[in-house]
């Protein structure tokens, strides 16, 4: 009996110590000026699955801290979830080495809502959907899907779309014919119906390919832009969030209210430049935190060192 009591005391001590260490960690590791968790927040990560290489691990660390500070509801991805050639099955070791072992921190065990990128189509893209039946936090019901969010007196509509089948640039790309030959009309009709029938205060679309880029693909996005931009403009979409470019960007076209965000700094990074539509562009690892309220949508860009490097608010 005495040993049982001692063991119970030891377990209690260790448990309390762990809680103290955990609390201390988030008190001493924080992102300056990342305040205001009274809205509905989520984190957007893109171009990330590289077995922990490049900036993937430090980005994961600061995502966890941001999620703690903002009490984030979920994590969205902008695609290219597994480099270089996607995954083979739901039991592919990449699930462990590129996802489970990297994003293991306590505040990353919330829902993940991914979209597919072009590199995901080099492998078994259906396995990424099927992994939703394996992992509680991986929530990808289909290639494209909607999420409705209640915001007090208002609401928001988020569309998670699959841009590879929509991208005319892939018509002659052997690596991506499995995507492009699926056709685009069914998905485009679905996108239009979702936007047309929504009375949401905020409409946000999340996909892989950007419509404008201040990075590597500057001047090379005309094809996908011609497909998507008319729909997004017609139905007053507030923001289009993409990846594909390995950096962080905010682009704004003169005369348009549509906000173009690129969150592709999940691991490897590439150079960026400044163009007439560039509001912000930086070649850095990192992610974007989005906070929605009845009156505003706030985008905060955080780099792999835990610095808040850019903020944009729309009302």
């Amino acid at each position: 009996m005495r040993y049982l009591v001692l063991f119970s005391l030891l377990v209690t001590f260790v448990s309390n110590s762990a809680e103290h260490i955990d609390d201390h960690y988030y008190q001493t590791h924080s992102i300056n000026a990342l305040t205001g968790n009274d809205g509905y927040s989520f984190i957007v990560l893109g171009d990330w699955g590289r077995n922990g290489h490049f900036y993937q691990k430090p980005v994961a660390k600061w995502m966890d801290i941001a999620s703690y500070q903002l009490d984030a509801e979920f994590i969205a991805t902008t695609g290219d979830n597994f480099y270089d050639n996607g995954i083979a099955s739901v039991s592919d070791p990449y699930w462990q080495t590129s996802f489970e072992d990297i994003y293991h921190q306590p505040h990353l065990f919330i829902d993940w809502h991914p979209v597919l990128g072009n590199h995901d189509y080099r492998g078994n893209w259906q396995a990424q959907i099927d992994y939703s039946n394996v992992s509680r936090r991986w929530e990808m019901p289909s290639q494209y899907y909607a999420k409705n969010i209640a915001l007090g007196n208002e609401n928001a509509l988020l569309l998670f779309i699959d841009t590879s089948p929509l991208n005319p640039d892939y018509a002659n790309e052997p690596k991506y014919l499995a995507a492009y030959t699926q056709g685009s009309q069914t998905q485009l009709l679905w996108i239009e119906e979702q936007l047309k029938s929504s009375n949401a205060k905020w409409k946000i679309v999340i996909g892989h390919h950007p419509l404008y880029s201040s990075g590597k693909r500057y001047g090379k996005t005309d094809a996908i832009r011609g497909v998507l931009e008319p729909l997004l403009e017609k139905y007053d979409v507030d923001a289009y969030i993409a990846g594909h470019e390995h950096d962080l960007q905010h682009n704004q076209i003169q005369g348009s209210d549509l906000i173009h965000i690129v969150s592709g700094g999940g691991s490897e990074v590439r150079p960026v430049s400044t163009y007439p539509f560039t509001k912000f562009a930086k070649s850095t690892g990192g992610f974007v935190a989005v906070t929605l309220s009845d009156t505003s949508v706030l985008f905060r860009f955080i780099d792999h060192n835990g610095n808040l490097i850019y903020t944009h608010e729309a009302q």
Side-chain angles (χ1 to χ4, degrees):
M1 184 67 180
R2 180 178 64 183
Y3 293 114
L4 181 59
V5 171
L6 288 173
F7 177 75
S8 298
L9 289 172
L10 178 61
V11 169
T12 301
F13 173 77
V14 170
S15 177
N16 289 339
S17 297
E19 290 177 5
H20 174 73
I21 292 170
D22 186 64
D23 289 342
H24 180 70
Y25 176 81
Y26 291 105
Q27 290 167 5
T28 56
H29 296 74
S30 63
I31 299 167
N32 291 336
L34 190 65
T35 58
N37 61 358
D38 53 344
Y40 185 105
S41 295
F42 62 94
I43 290 169
V44 185
L45 170 72
D47 303 87
W48 48 275
R50 291 186 182 272
N51 285 318
H53 298 307
F54 302 103
Y55 293 114
Q56 192 181 5
K57 288 182 178 179
V59 168
K61 168 188 171 179
W62 289 105
M63 282 174 57
D64 172 61
I65 293 166
S67 180
Y68 170 79
Q69 289 182 242
L70 296 174
D71 192 20
E73 299 287 343
F74 66 88
I75 295 162
T77 85
T78 58
D80 279 3
N81 306 316
F82 296 94
Y83 285 97
D84 224 10
N85 297 308
I87 45 107
S89 68
V90 295
S91 57
D92 192 310
Y94 269 23
W95 284 108
Q96 198 66 39
T97 58
S98 276
F99 177 56
E100 303 289 359
D101 288 349
I102 305 299
Y103 306 99
H104 58 80
Q105 297 89 340
H107 300 285
L108 300 183
F109 275 84
I110 53 180
D111 289 346
W112 285 57
H113 296 308
V115 301
L116 296 170
N118 57 299
H119 280 269
D120 300 309
Y121 269 101
R122 294 187 184 186
N124 183 350
W125 57 268
Q126 180 64 44
Q128 294 198 38
I129 297 172
D130 295 342
Y131 197 69
S132 302
N133 299 320
V134 176
S135 168
R136 170 56 189 85
R137 61 173 169 163
W138 189 269
E139 296 273 342
M140 189 180 187
S142 57
Q143 289 170 264
Y144 48 91
Y145 52 98
K147 183 177 180 66
N148 291 283
I149 299 169
L151 300 172
N153 296 323
E154 301 287 355
N155 62 334
L157 172 67
L158 271 63
L159 298 186
F160 299 84
I161 68 172
D162 186 3
T163 56
S164 292
L166 307 179
N167 192 346
D169 284 338
Y170 289 163
N172 298 307
E173 283 278 358
K175 291 180 180 178
Y176 306 126
L177 283 180
Y180 188 72
T181 55
Q182 293 175 23
S184 61
Q185 287 307 303
T186 300
Q187 184 180 179
L188 289 173
L189 287 172
W190 177 86
I191 293 171
E192 181 162 26
E193 180 58 32
Q194 289 288 323
L195 296 175
K196 183 179 180 179
S197 62
S198 175
N199 63 354
K201 168 72 173 179
W202 305 111
K203 296 176 183 177
I204 297 176
V205 177
I206 299 174
H208 182 61
H209 295 85
L211 308 190
Y212 296 89
S213 175
S214 298
K216 174 184 176 181
R217 293 177 177 87
Y218 169 74
K220 301 177 181 178
T221 62
D222 291 359
I224 187 64
R225 182 167 71 244
V227 172
L228 281 176
E229 188 175 46
L231 270 178
L232 305 187
E233 293 283 4
K234 179 179 180 179
Y235 293 105
D236 297 320
V237 171
D238 297 285
Y240 176 66
I241 306 177
H244 202 42
E245 298 288 68
H246 299 178
D247 47 54
L248 301 177
Q249 303 177 28
H250 169 206
N251 300 311
Q252 195 78 47
I253 307 307
Q254 187 174 6
S256 172
D257 293 327
L258 178 59
I259 300 164
H260 294 268
I261 301 291
V262 171
S263 181
S267 53
E268 183 190 38
V269 300
R270 294 176 181 150
V272 295
S273 298
T274 300
Y275 301 99
F277 55 69
T278 307
K279 295 296 183 182
F280 173 83
K282 188 169 183 180
S283 176
T284 182
F287 55 94
V288 177
V290 183
T291 300
L292 299 164
S293 72
D294 284 350
T295 58
S296 69
V297 55
L298 179 62
F299 300 93
R300 286 176 281 192
F301 291 57
I302 298 155
D303 70 12
H304 61 273
N305 291 314
N307 299 311
L308 179 60
I309 56 175
Y310 179 74
T311 298
H312 176 71
E313 184 173 18
Q315 295 180 334

